[in-house]
Amino acid sequence: AFPEICPLRHYCPEGQGAIECSDPVVGLYGNYTGLTNKSSCAPCPPGHYCVAGRVAGICAAGALCSSGAREPNPNPGTVTAGPCPPGHYCPEGSVS
């Protein structure tokens, strides 16, 4: 057998298997093969949310999603989200 390139949505530290790009606080994704460490995984782009190491979709209407959202309708006041400001409407994919 020969070494295989680390797959999308994962990173592969030396001497270990493939580890999914994920974090308990910030949504991450691995958009390239061959990533070598967790810092190679990127925070989810603003206006989107990431699950299981991939960009899973656009954030829901009514929420502001900054970089690193982990769910489509994140709780306001978390590291990656905020409420839509009073007197404003936040369509799908709104960013803070």
Side-chain angles (χ1 to χ4, degrees):
F2 294 97
E4 295 180 21
I5 192 81
C6 195
L8 281 173
R9 303 187 304 275
H10 295 78
Y11 62 99
C12 299
E14 185 176 352
Q16 297 182 33
I19 301 169
E20 187 176 87
C21 287
S22 65
D23 185 88
V25 176
V26 177
L28 299 173
Y29 72 106
N31 210 27
Y32 300 99
T33 58
L35 300 179
T36 59
N37 54 54
K38 187 174 181 175
S39 64
S40 301
C41 302
C44 204
H48 296 79
Y49 68 100
C50 291
V51 175
R54 66 180 176 84
V55 177
I58 297 173
C59 288
L64 291 174
C65 289
S66 60
S67 177
R70 296 180 58 226
E71 54 190 79
N73 197 4
N75 292 325
T78 62
V79 171
T80 61
C84 196
H88 293 79
Y89 170 73
C90 291
E92 244 184 5
S94 292
V95 296
S96 54

